[in-house]
Amino acid sequence: MRPPGFTILRMRLRANSCVLLLLSLSILFISAACRKQSSREFIITDAPVIALTHVRVIDGNGSPAVDDQTILVEGGRIKSIGKTTEIEVPQGAKIFDLTNHTAIPGLVGMHNHLFYSTERGEKDVRASETFPKLYLAAGVTTIRTAGTFDLDDEVNTKRAIDSGRVPGPKIHLSSPYINYAHGKSLDVTLFNQKLEEWTAAGVATLKVYTNVGRDDLAQVIQTAHGRGLKVTGHLCATGFRDAAIAGIDNLEHGLLVDTEFYSGKQNNQCAERRDVFPELVRLDVNGPEVRAMIKELVDRKVAITSTLAIFEIFTGDQFQLDPRMQQVLTPAAYESCLAQMAHDRADPRWASFWQPLLKKEMEFEREFVRAGGLLMAGVDPTGWGGVVAGFGDQRQLELLVQAGFSPEEAIRIYTRNGAEFLARPVGASANQNNPANFGTLEVGKQADIVIIQGDPRREISQIRNVVIVFKDGVGFDPAKLIDSVVGEVGRR
């Protein structure tokens, strides 16, 4: 989701090398700069062999949790998993006794931006220095950006993370938003030119936005698939069934942005939400029209990204701000959140639509999964700033459980499903099985493992009790990651 109006801030990461400015201060400057450009201070362990013993395992496949397991990690991958009494721990391994802890796969956030909306939704500010740390601290080890305002900045952020200079999740880059003004159409020449640039930068997914009509969408998809790129969309002018027929790979947000059931819908035009919502509230998710749309998506293997956490911020007094946000937001950004909440509670008319709509979206997502659809999840930290990276992902997981999924099912949605989609070939090859090498806790998979104190099966909110996050077998300290961004999120 994207708020109306935004500011693009183009800021670059610091230089990759430590520069000797003055001979007398060389040691001071070099050591300070290198500390800022290293992940070392956030690492708990990067031992060659790690044994996670006596841990409860939720493997990401949707299977019931298994108690008292040992996970052996070697060379950044899972070497073995089994009963603690049956796993032989190699001599010299770094051992963690994780009694009363739970291991889950690293979360795969599929709508996870590197910018943040503040000033009650009027400003979008760069968050490429703070959000990667918050994602990782919350157990999000892989993200797809699902749209950007500054691709160069995000390319540099990805390179810095991949090289180990800064901590953060593995990043799958998406394009800038593909959109145009109402009444316009796709500039094919400009699109092809931009596509060359985006492909060279490493973009894997194109993000289509609200005003793009059916024929233009079909052309974007055909061109993208010809280059091996996937296409996702936050659509409005084009309905979900038309998008599926055109060959789109992924649809963002779900039923609440699909305008095809609106009685006043005009071809290739995005209707106003204030007109659509009254009818959407009354729409029967189990009625023939919606069921036909779901079948179209499932038959054509179109995935949906759940973003319940961003919808919840519009529900007025039903929404509660995560108390941890006060720690990481700038004072101005935090006051902006409080002001928006006060405004929404003083005038609950808009919230009176959003509260039943959130329930309707939850119902739709249950039916989509029941029909065999691939549901993924992400936080989408936009709107008016009510959610941030990481903390919002954890809330999204809680909301999936509120929607009726078991904790094991919700974790599968947020781990294996996203990984499967990222590994899936595009276009006509999408029916092929191409197993991901991450997203579940299985032998041979990348050791992306989140260690949680407690048992999220019994209370999903314990997902917030992250004590260690392993990414490719390297264990990071969540508390240190969060402490490093205190008071920084929302700074322009």
Side-chain angles (χ1 to χ4, degrees):
M1 183 173 293
R2 171 180 143 194
F6 56 88
T7 300
I8 300 177
L9 302 181
R10 294 191 175 272
M11 302 174 70
R12 305 291 182 179
L13 295 175
R14 297 183 178 117
N16 295 337
S17 60
C18 300
V19 179
L20 182 63
L21 300 177
L22 296 172
L23 181 61
S24 61
L25 296 176
S26 60
I27 296 177
L28 175 63
F29 276 96
I30 292 174
S31 62
C34 288
R35 280 198 305 271
K36 292 179 181 179
Q37 296 177 8
S38 172
S39 297
R40 296 299 311 171
E41 64 185 289
F42 303 103
I43 293 175
I44 294 174
T45 182
D46 57 356
V49 182
I50 299 168
L52 309 177
T53 66
H54 301 290
V55 68
R56 180 182 304 104
V57 171
I58 299 176
D59 64 11
N61 285 311
S63 307
V66 183
D67 292 327
D68 198 16
Q69 301 288 289
T70 287
I71 305 174
L72 285 183
V73 175
E74 184 174 337
R77 292 187 177 270
I78 297 173
K79 185 176 182 180
S80 59
I81 303 178
K83 293 181 180 179
T84 295
T85 55
E86 298 177 359
I87 296 290
E88 182 178 352
V89 177
Q91 186 174 5
K94 175 69 175 179
I95 300 174
F96 291 85
D97 184 337
L98 296 173
T99 303
N100 297 323
H101 289 72
T102 302
I104 69 170
L107 301 182
V108 180
M110 294 297 290
H111 196 128
N112 289 44
H113 296 301
L114 294 177
F115 60 86
Y116 171 68
S117 298
T118 187
E119 296 185 24
R120 299 173 67 174
E122 295 299 319
K123 298 286 185 182
D124 291 328
V125 297
R126 172 182 177 268
S128 54
E129 291 185 0
T130 56
F131 272 14
K133 294 176 182 178
L134 287 177
Y135 283 131
L136 192 60
V140 184
T141 54
T142 302
I143 66 169
R144 183 189 64 176
T145 54
T148 179
F149 298 148
D150 191 341
L151 180 58
D152 289 344
D153 179 62
E154 295 187 6
V155 168
N156 287 336
T157 300
K158 173 178 169 58
R159 289 172 179 167
I161 292 170
D162 290 347
S163 69
R165 297 199 305 275
V166 297
K170 287 165 273 194
I171 297 176
H172 293 252
L173 294 168
S174 298
S175 72
Y177 293 83
I178 299 172
N179 203 22
Y180 42 70
H182 174 70
K184 301 293 185 179
S185 59
L186 183 71
D187 184 329
V188 177
T189 301
L190 179 60
F191 169 67
N192 288 332
Q193 175 187 333
K194 290 297 182 182
L195 192 57
E196 291 285 347
E197 298 174 8
W198 299 338
T199 304
V203 162
T205 302
L206 302 188
K207 174 66 179 287
V208 180
Y209 205 55
T210 54
N211 286 334
V212 176
R214 180 179 55 193
D215 293 342
D216 286 343
L217 176 63
Q219 181 162 4
V220 168
I221 293 168
Q222 182 180 11
T223 305
H225 284 177
R227 290 176 171 266
L229 306 178
K230 294 187 178 78
V231 179
T232 192
H234 173 171
L235 304 181
C236 180
T238 303
F240 279 15
R241 290 187 71 179
D242 283 343
I245 293 168
I248 201 165
D249 303 285
N250 184 194
L251 291 161
E252 303 300 315
H253 307 300
L255 182 65
L256 298 199
V257 302
D258 186 11
T259 61
E260 67 186 87
F261 305 111
Y262 170 50
S263 62
K265 177 76 168 71
Q266 297 184 40
N267 190 38
N268 291 329
Q269 291 190 23
C270 180
E272 294 287 343
R273 287 190 297 179
R274 64 174 178 267
D275 298 325
V276 175
F277 279 1
E279 293 188 12
L280 193 55
V281 167
R282 299 189 297 270
L283 185 65
D284 182 4
V285 170
N286 287 301
E289 291 180 317
V290 178
R291 299 206 68 82
M293 179 265 282
I294 289 175
K295 185 177 187 306
E296 194 78 60
L297 301 188
V298 173
D299 288 349
R300 296 179 183 272
K301 296 192 176 296
V302 180
I304 288 179
T305 311
S306 173
T307 60
L308 300 174
I310 193 62
F311 290 150
E312 188 188 31
I313 73 172
F314 301 110
T315 59
D317 57 9
Q318 180 176 314
F319 171 70
Q320 300 295 321
L321 196 68
D322 189 318
R324 298 173 294 177
M325 287 177 62
Q326 185 174 8
Q327 178 185 8
V328 300
L329 292 176
T330 65
Y334 183 68
E335 288 301 319
S336 172
C337 288
L338 296 181
Q340 183 65 42
M341 292 174 66
H343 172 271
D344 291 349
R345 290 171 181 177
D347 183 1
R349 289 175 295 178
W350 197 232
S352 68
F353 285 115
W354 275 105
Q355 290 175 7
L357 285 172
L358 179 61
K359 293 180 180 178
K360 181 114 17 209
E361 177 61 31
M362 290 176 169
E363 182 184 3
F364 169 75
E365 292 179 10
R366 290 197 309 270
E367 293 304 314
F368 178 70
V369 171
R370 187 174 288 119
L374 184 70
L375 185 68
M376 312 178 298
V379 57
D380 189 15
T382 53
W384 51 260
V387 290
V388 299
F391 300 161
D393 291 271
Q394 292 170 343
R395 180 58 183 161
Q396 169 70 23
L397 195 53
E398 294 170 355
L399 288 169
L400 286 169
V401 174
Q402 286 187 25
F405 298 104
S406 71
E408 290 92 342
E409 289 171 331
I411 289 168
R412 172 175 173 157
I413 289 167
Y414 228 129
T415 57
R416 174 177 169 171
N417 287 7
E420 282 186 357
F421 180 85
L422 291 172
R424 177 194 292 177
V426 301
S429 302
N431 291 325
Q432 298 176 2
N433 291 322
N434 189 13
N437 62 0
F438 64 105
T440 57
L441 301 184
E442 297 179 273
V443 173
K445 295 290 184 77
Q446 293 174 4
D448 297 342
I449 307 169
V450 185
I451 305 301
I452 299 159
Q453 185 175 14
D455 185 354
R457 295 175 309 172
R458 304 188 185 281
E459 180 52 63
I460 191 59
S461 63
Q462 293 191 29
I463 198 72
R464 302 183 183 209
N465 302 333
V466 178
V467 295
I468 311 174
V469 179
F470 290 92
K471 189 185 82 167
D472 294 329
V474 176
F476 289 86
D477 186 331
K480 286 185 178 181
L481 289 165
I482 294 171
D483 286 346
S484 71
V485 301
V486 167
E488 292 297 319
V489 175
R491 191 176 301 283
R492 287 188 287 171

